[in-house]
Amino acid sequence: MFTKVLVANRGEIAIRIIRALKELGIRSVAVYSTADKNALHTRIADEKVCIGSAQSKNSYLNAPALISAAQIKGVDAIHPGYGFLSEDAGFAEVCEAAGIKFIGPKPQDIELMGNKLKAREHVNKLGIQVMPGTFQEIEDEQHAIRIAKEIGLPLMVKAAEGGGGRGMKIIYDEDQIPNIIKIARAEAKTAFGNTSLYIEKYFENVRHVEIQIIGDGNGGVVSLGERECSIQRRHQKFIEESPSVAVDDKLRNKMNDAALRITKHINYRGVGTIEFLLDEKGKFYFMEMNTRLQVEHPVTEFVTGMDIVAEQINIAGGQKMSVSQKDIKLKGHAIECRINAEDPETLVPSSGIIHTYIQPGGPWVRVDGHVYCGYEVPPYYDSLIAKLIVWAEDRDSAIRRMQRSLDEFIIEGIKTNIPLHKKILASKEFLLGNISTRFIEKFI
Amino acid sequence: MFTKVLVANRGEIAIRIIRALKELGIRSVAVYSTADKNALHTRIADEKVCIGSAQSKNSYLNAPALISAAQIKGVDAIHPGYGFLSEDAGFAEVCEAAGIKFIGPKPQDIELMGNKLKAREHVNKLGIQVMPGTFQEIEDEQHAIRIAKEIGLPLMVKAAEGGGGRGMKIIYDEDQIPNIIKIARAEAKTAFGNTSLYIEKYFENVRHVEIQIIGDGNGGVVSLGERECSIQRRHQKFIEESPSVAVDDKLRNKMNDAALRITKHINYRGVGTIEFLLDEKGKFYFMEMNTRLQVEHPVTEFVTGMDIVAEQINIAGGQKMSVSQKDIKLKGHAIECRINAEDPETLVPSSGIIHTYIQPGGPWVRVDGHVYCGYEVPPYYDSLIAKLIVWAEDRDSAIRRMQRSLDEFIIEGIKTNIPLHKKILASKEFLLGNISTRFIEKFI
Amino acid sequence: MDIHEIEELIGLIENKDIMEIEYSKGDEKIRIVRAVEITKKAGKTPQERPDEMPGTLHPDTDEGNAFISVNSPFVGTFYCAPSPSEKPFVEIGTKVKKGQTIGIVEAMKLMNAIEADADGAIKQILKKDGDPVEFGEPLFIIDPEG
Amino acid sequence: MDIHEIEELIGLIENKDIMEIEYSKGDEKIRIVRAVEITKKAGKTPQERPDEMPGTLHPDTDEGNAFISVNSPFVGTFYCAPSPSEKPFVEIGTKVKKGQTIGIVEAMKLMNAIEADADGAIKQILKKDGDPVEFGEPLFIIDPEG
C-alpha cells in the first residue's frame, strides 16, 4: 500500500480524501494556491505545499507544479478528487511516467469515456440503449439540420469533450440551429480546447439516474446501486438521493446489469458512474460515464455502508476488492443537499467572510464541508461549500431529517442556496417524488 | 401523538430531543435560564421560554417553573432529558397530575430503581446476581465494621439515593470506616437530601458494561445490546463503545436476558439502562438501573440503526414499539468520546468564550454538541460541550476514525479534554481492549 | 513560546480591558501592546450582557431619566386585578409606594403578588390580563419621579 | 526565529488589535511596531492580502530600508550552482545586476533560472542546495543599496 499520497484538489473533496487517507494510516500531502493559504484542507493534512497562484490554471490545473510537488514530497500516489485534473488522461499518464500512481482509472479508459462520442459508440456496440443522436461529430450547420430532421426536435447540442453538465445547449427550433452551433463551438473551444460537437435527442420529462460502480482492474466490477440526481439547476446537480423512487428491484437489476457490462468490458479500474436518462415508462438511455469519484458519493456510502473513497485508494494500492456483488444491499434512504455560496435568486457565487457558521448534527447527519467561522470564501473556485447528507429508515423520514438539518444550518456573512433547498424539500411534488430534470425550472 | 412538547433540559441533550421532535413533526418548546439566553437549544426550538436565573435550582431544577412554563405554552408532554429532574419520581407525578405526559418511566419505577437498596432487593429476588453487599442501610459505624468483616475489604460506600457515579467512597482499610461513613453521610445529605448509605464489595479489575433496554409499558421490552463504559474518570464515563470486546454472543444473551427479566417484571415503560460490573471471568453483577435516556445512547443508535429518542417519544405518546427483539442486530462498532470544557490535567471546568470551533465531519462521524464559535460557556452547568461519536465496520477502523476526528476537532478559547482522549485512543492497551474502570487512573 | 502560544496570548488580551502585557521566564521575554483607538469595548457583544434580573434599573433612552422596570419573578400567567370581576391594581399614572401589590403572576395555581420596587408613578403596563410571561420579563415601568 | 516565523508573527498582529510586540529568547530579540495608519484597513485580515508574487518589495524592520526578496516562481528543488561540481552562482555579498541568474529551481527535470529582480548585493541566501521549495517561497534577499 501507499505510505504517502498527494491530494491534487481543494475544498470539501480534498478534506474527504485526506480523512480517508488518515483512516488508512497513509500520510497526506495537501496542495494549495496562494488564495487557499487558510483553507481547512491544508490544516488537516499531514503536510502541505503551495503550488501556485490563485487562478486554477496556475495551481490546481498546473500539472507540472503538481508533479513537482509530488516529487519534492516523495509521495507514492496522487489522488485527483473530482473536477480539475481528475478526468485528464494526459495527467494520469504523466503521473505514471513519473513513477507516481494515479488514483483513478487507466488513462485509456479516461480517454475513451472522456470523448462522449467514443463512449456512445462503445456502449452502443454492447447493445445497450444510448441516447438517440449522432455517433459522429457535427461537420457543419447543414449536417446539424439533417440530423434534426432525422431525430426530431427538441435536440441537445453537446461538446464531445464536455461532460458533467457543461457545454450543453437545447434547440427547440430549426431556425436556431446555425446560431447555436456557432455559440456552442466557441464555448467548447474555450472550455475544453476542442470544438467537436454532437447532437442528442432532448427529453423533457425524464429523470437523471446514475449507477455507482467500482472495479478492481482485474475484471471485478461491483455496482453500488443507483442515485436519483434529477433535481438540477442549469444542468448542475442540486439534490441527490438513493435509492430512486422511480427504480424498483427489477429496473435496478437491469440498470446495474447495463452499468456492469459497460465497465467489465474494459476491465475498469477505480470508481465511476454510469449516467442514464430514465423516462416515464421505465426505459433508460446511456448518457455518459464519469471516470472519477463523484460529488454525491456520500448518499451511496450511507445506504450501502461502504466507504467508497477508502475502497478506491485500496484498489489503486493493489488490494483486492473488499466486497462482492452479493454483499451490496441498499438499506434505508439517503439524501444530499449541495450547499453553495451563491445568491439563491440569481445563482451568482457569493464570496466573502463567513462570520457565523453553525452546522447541523445529531443522528445520521453528515456534513462534508470545508469552511468555518471566520473563513473567507475566495472568488476563484467552485461555489460548493458543504454537502449536507442525511440517512433514515425511509424516504419520508429522510426528508424530515433533512428539513430539520437545513433549519439548523446557520451561515451568515455570505449568501447560500439553503432557502431554495428548504423550499424544495417542503414542496408536495418533491415529497411525492414527482421529479424530473426540469423540476427546479418549473418550481421557481 | 403529541402536538407540542416542552424539553426540560439544556445543552446537547435538549438539542438532541428537539431534533427528534422536529423529525416527528411535533412542535418543541425550549426552556432556558438567564445564563442560557444565547444557548443553541433556544435557537433551534420552535418556541422558548425563560424559566429562571442561572443557578439550576432556580431554573432547570425548578419544578413549579417548568410546569408553569408547560402550562402557558400549552404542551402535551415534558421530556426531562438526563440529569436535572429526569429521575425525580415526584416531578413525574406532578407532571401527570397537571395533565402533562412525562416522557419517561412510571413514577413508581423511577422510585423503585432510584433507591439503590430497593433496586438491589428487587433484582436479587429475581435470582440475578447483584453486587455483594448489604440489603439494608448502614445503621452506624459498628454495623459498617461488621459488614466489612463479612464481605471483606476493599468496600464501597454508596448513597442509597445516589447513582450515576455520584456519592461513592472506597474503603481500603478498616480504620477508615468511621471517618468515611461520616463524610459520605454528610455528602449524601447535601447531594441527595437523604443520609441513607449502603455498602458493596469493591472490585478492582472489572469492566462497567450496561444494557440498553426500551419498554412499552405493556410488557414488551427489547434489549438493544451492551455498551462498554469502563473508561471513566472519577466515576464519570469518558469513552463508551458498543459492542464490548469482552462480551461474546453467549455472554450478551445472558446479560440481555438478565436486563429483560429485571424490566419485564415491572412492565417497564420507556428507555433505561441496566448497569453491570463484569469481572475477568465473564461473571456479571447488577449495580443499578438508570431510568432515563443516557448520555451515551448514540453508540447504540449507530450499531442498531434505531433512533432511541424518537422511539422513546413515540412510546410515551401511546404508540406501539416499532421493533421486536429479533430485529435487533448489532452491526459494526461505535465509539463515543465525551468532549468536556475542562482542564485536561486538573479536570477543573473551563468556562469562557469559544473563539475557534471547527467540528470534524465526513463519513460516519456524528457530533452532538451545543456550542459554536463566539459562544460563551457559562460556569453554572455540566462541562460536557459535545459528544463525538463514530462508527465503522470494526473496532480498529472505528478507533482510527475517532483518532482522525479528534485531530480535526479544533476548539480554542477554552480548555478541553481532547488531548487526553487522543492519548487514550493512541495507547496500546486501549487498542487491545485491555480496559477496566481503573484504566485512566493507571494510565495518567 | 511558539507562534501559537503568542496567538493565544493575543486572543486573551483582545477580549479584555488590557492595554499591555509583559511576560518573562528564564531568558524568554514577551511584551504585547494593544492598539489604542480600536480597543473594542471590553469585547462584549450584546448577547453577553448579564441578564436583567427582576426589578433592575433601566436607564431609559429619553433624557437619561432612570425608570424602574418591574420584572416577573416567575414564569406564569399575568393578572392585572385580584379577580376577573375586580378593578385592576393600578393603571397608567397611578401613584404607587414601594412594596405595594401592582399585579399577580400565577404559576401552578399559586398567585404571586407583584410588588412595586420603588415609590413613583406607573408609566407603562407591558402585559395584558391573562398574558403568559417568562421569568424576568418586564411587566411594569415605574417612573420614580412621577 | 527564521524569516517565516517573523512573517507569521507579522501576520498575527496585523490581524489583531495589537500595536506593538516584543519577544526575546537568549540572544535573539525581535520587536515589531505597527504603522499607525494601516490599522485595520477595510477590515481585511492579513490572510486576505494578495500573496506576494516573486520579486516583491519587502520593507525590512531596521531603519526602513527596502530590501528585495526573490521568491520561487515554481514548486520544486532549489540549486545554488549550475551543477554539483561548479561554484554557486552567488554568495552573500555578491554584487548582482537585474536579470542575472542567481539560482535554479528544478521542477519535473526542467531547470528554471532564478534571476535577480534588481541591481544590488546578495544580503541573504535562504535555501541550501537541494532544498525543496514551494511556490512563492523567498530564496534570496537583495539589498539594492548594497
Side-chain angles (χ1 to χ4, degrees), chain A residues 18-34:
Chain A
I18 293 165
R19 285 173 173 155
L21 291 169
K22 287 193 159 196
E23 290 176 10
L24 292 169
I26 300 169
R27 276 188 82 76
S28 55
V29 179
V31 296
Y32 63 103
S33 75
T34 51

mmCIF file of all heavy atoms in Angstrom, chain A residues 18-34:
data_model
loop_
_atom_site.group_PDB
_atom_site.id
_atom_site.type_symbol
_atom_site.label_atom_id
_atom_site.label_comp_id
_atom_site.label_asym_id
_atom_site.label_seq_id
_atom_site.Cartn_x
_atom_site.Cartn_y
_atom_site.Cartn_z
ATOM 1 N N ILE A 18 -8.365 13.303 2.391
ATOM 2 C CA ILE A 18 -7.395 13.318 3.493
ATOM 3 C C ILE A 18 -7.926 12.495 4.673
ATOM 4 O O ILE A 18 -7.195 11.738 5.310
ATOM 5 C CB ILE A 18 -7.063 14.770 3.913
ATOM 6 C CG1 ILE A 18 -6.305 15.475 2.783
ATOM 7 C CG2 ILE A 18 -6.250 14.801 5.218
ATOM 8 C CD1 ILE A 18 -6.245 16.995 2.914
ATOM 9 N N ARG A 19 -9.231 12.638 4.948
ATOM 10 C CA ARG A 19 -9.837 11.828 6.015
ATOM 11 C C ARG A 19 -9.660 10.340 5.738
ATOM 12 O O ARG A 19 -9.277 9.568 6.633
ATOM 13 C CB ARG A 19 -11.330 12.156 6.127
ATOM 14 C CG ARG A 19 -11.584 13.480 6.797
ATOM 15 C CD ARG A 19 -13.059 13.888 6.749
ATOM 16 N NE ARG A 19 -13.233 15.086 7.569
ATOM 17 C CZ ARG A 19 -14.196 15.988 7.410
ATOM 18 N NH1 ARG A 19 -15.096 15.833 6.454
ATOM 19 N NH2 ARG A 19 -14.278 17.034 8.207
ATOM 20 N N ALA A 20 -9.941 9.937 4.507
ATOM 21 C CA ALA A 20 -9.813 8.512 4.164
ATOM 22 C C ALA A 20 -8.359 8.061 4.313
ATOM 23 O O ALA A 20 -8.083 6.989 4.856
ATOM 24 C CB ALA A 20 -10.311 8.267 2.745
ATOM 25 N N LEU A 21 -7.422 8.887 3.841
ATOM 26 C CA LEU A 21 -6.004 8.532 3.949
ATOM 27 C C LEU A 21 -5.601 8.352 5.404
ATOM 28 O O LEU A 21 -4.949 7.375 5.775
ATOM 29 C CB LEU A 21 -5.133 9.614 3.286
ATOM 30 C CG LEU A 21 -5.248 9.704 1.758
ATOM 31 C CD1 LEU A 21 -4.555 10.967 1.250
ATOM 32 C CD2 LEU A 21 -4.649 8.463 1.077
ATOM 33 N N LYS A 22 -6.019 9.296 6.242
ATOM 34 C CA LYS A 22 -5.664 9.199 7.666
ATOM 35 C C LYS A 22 -6.205 7.917 8.274
ATOM 36 O O LYS A 22 -5.528 7.258 9.060
ATOM 37 C CB LYS A 22 -6.239 10.398 8.418
ATOM 38 C CG LYS A 22 -5.485 11.686 8.132
ATOM 39 C CD LYS A 22 -5.892 12.755 9.128
ATOM 40 C CE LYS A 22 -4.844 13.835 9.207
ATOM 41 N NZ LYS A 22 -5.010 14.675 10.396
ATOM 42 N N GLU A 23 -7.445 7.592 7.926
ATOM 43 C CA GLU A 23 -8.044 6.386 8.490
ATOM 44 C C GLU A 23 -7.352 5.123 7.997
ATOM 45 O O GLU A 23 -7.388 4.099 8.664
ATOM 46 C CB GLU A 23 -9.540 6.348 8.170
ATOM 47 C CG GLU A 23 -10.299 7.413 8.953
ATOM 48 C CD GLU A 23 -11.775 7.505 8.631
ATOM 49 O OE1 GLU A 23 -12.284 6.625 7.925
ATOM 50 O OE2 GLU A 23 -12.419 8.459 9.070
ATOM 51 N N LEU A 24 -6.732 5.217 6.828
ATOM 52 C CA LEU A 24 -5.991 4.062 6.301
ATOM 53 C C LEU A 24 -4.539 4.056 6.778
ATOM 54 O O LEU A 24 -3.765 3.180 6.412
ATOM 55 C CB LEU A 24 -6.029 4.076 4.765
ATOM 56 C CG LEU A 24 -7.395 3.824 4.122
ATOM 57 C CD1 LEU A 24 -7.352 4.124 2.630
ATOM 58 C CD2 LEU A 24 -7.846 2.390 4.355
ATOM 59 N N GLY A 25 -4.165 5.072 7.567
ATOM 60 C CA GLY A 25 -2.787 5.122 8.058
ATOM 61 C C GLY A 25 -1.786 5.588 7.012
ATOM 62 O O GLY A 25 -0.598 5.266 7.093
ATOM 63 N N ILE A 26 -2.258 6.347 6.025
ATOM 64 C CA ILE A 26 -1.384 6.850 4.954
ATOM 65 C C ILE A 26 -1.165 8.350 5.169
ATOM 66 O O ILE A 26 -2.112 9.083 5.435
ATOM 67 C CB ILE A 26 -2.054 6.613 3.570
ATOM 68 C CG1 ILE A 26 -2.311 5.114 3.350
ATOM 69 C CG2 ILE A 26 -1.204 7.204 2.448
ATOM 70 C CD1 ILE A 26 -3.193 4.805 2.153
ATOM 71 N N ARG A 27 0.082 8.794 5.056
ATOM 72 C CA ARG A 27 0.346 10.233 5.212
ATOM 73 C C ARG A 27 -0.272 11.004 4.054
ATOM 74 O O ARG A 27 -0.257 10.551 2.912
ATOM 75 C CB ARG A 27 1.860 10.518 5.235
ATOM 76 C CG ARG A 27 2.493 10.346 6.605
ATOM 77 C CD ARG A 27 3.936 10.837 6.621
ATOM 78 N NE ARG A 27 4.040 12.272 6.783
ATOM 79 C CZ ARG A 27 3.857 12.909 7.930
ATOM 80 N NH1 ARG A 27 3.532 12.240 9.016
ATOM 81 N NH2 ARG A 27 3.982 14.222 8.001
ATOM 82 N N SER A 28 -0.756 12.208 4.350
ATOM 83 C CA SER A 28 -1.410 13.007 3.320
ATOM 84 C C SER A 28 -0.645 14.300 3.083
ATOM 85 O O SER A 28 -0.123 14.909 4.009
ATOM 86 C CB SER A 28 -2.840 13.329 3.755
ATOM 87 O OG SER A 28 -2.840 13.947 5.031
ATOM 88 N N VAL A 29 -0.569 14.694 1.799
ATOM 89 C CA VAL A 29 0.043 15.969 1.436
ATOM 90 C C VAL A 29 -1.028 16.818 0.755
ATOM 91 O O VAL A 29 -1.598 16.401 -0.253
ATOM 92 C CB VAL A 29 1.232 15.784 0.477
ATOM 93 C CG1 VAL A 29 1.826 17.143 0.102
ATOM 94 C CG2 VAL A 29 2.293 14.882 1.090
ATOM 95 N N ALA A 30 -1.312 17.994 1.332
ATOM 96 C CA ALA A 30 -2.259 18.922 0.718
ATOM 97 C C ALA A 30 -1.481 19.858 -0.198
ATOM 98 O O ALA A 30 -0.348 20.224 0.094
ATOM 99 C CB ALA A 30 -2.976 19.723 1.787
ATOM 100 N N VAL A 31 -2.102 20.242 -1.313
ATOM 101 C CA VAL A 31 -1.530 21.307 -2.130
ATOM 102 C C VAL A 31 -2.489 22.489 -2.050
ATOM 103 O O VAL A 31 -3.672 22.318 -1.789
ATOM 104 C CB VAL A 31 -1.342 20.870 -3.596
ATOM 105 C CG1 VAL A 31 -0.348 19.733 -3.703
ATOM 106 C CG2 VAL A 31 -2.673 20.511 -4.241
ATOM 107 N N TYR A 32 -1.945 23.671 -2.237
ATOM 108 C CA TYR A 32 -2.841 24.835 -2.168
ATOM 109 C C TYR A 32 -2.303 25.974 -3.010
ATOM 110 O O TYR A 32 -1.103 26.086 -3.249
ATOM 111 C CB TYR A 32 -3.048 25.277 -0.717
ATOM 112 C CG TYR A 32 -1.804 25.760 0.003
ATOM 113 C CD1 TYR A 32 -1.574 27.127 0.200
ATOM 114 C CD2 TYR A 32 -0.866 24.858 0.483
ATOM 115 C CE1 TYR A 32 -0.439 27.570 0.870
ATOM 116 C CE2 TYR A 32 0.276 25.296 1.149
ATOM 117 C CZ TYR A 32 0.479 26.646 1.335
ATOM 118 O OH TYR A 32 1.608 27.085 1.983
ATOM 119 N N SER A 33 -3.233 26.798 -3.474
ATOM 120 C CA SER A 33 -2.868 28.021 -4.181
ATOM 121 C C SER A 33 -2.694 29.119 -3.133
ATOM 122 O O SER A 33 -3.102 28.958 -1.978
ATOM 123 C CB SER A 33 -3.978 28.408 -5.150
ATOM 124 O OG SER A 33 -5.064 28.953 -4.432
ATOM 125 N N THR A 34 -2.112 30.226 -3.544
ATOM 126 C CA THR A 34 -1.916 31.323 -2.589
ATOM 127 C C THR A 34 -3.243 31.828 -2.029
ATOM 128 O O THR A 34 -3.283 32.348 -0.919
ATOM 129 C CB THR A 34 -1.167 32.485 -3.254
ATOM 130 O OG1 THR A 34 -1.831 32.820 -4.471
ATOM 131 C CG2 THR A 34 0.279 32.096 -3.560
#
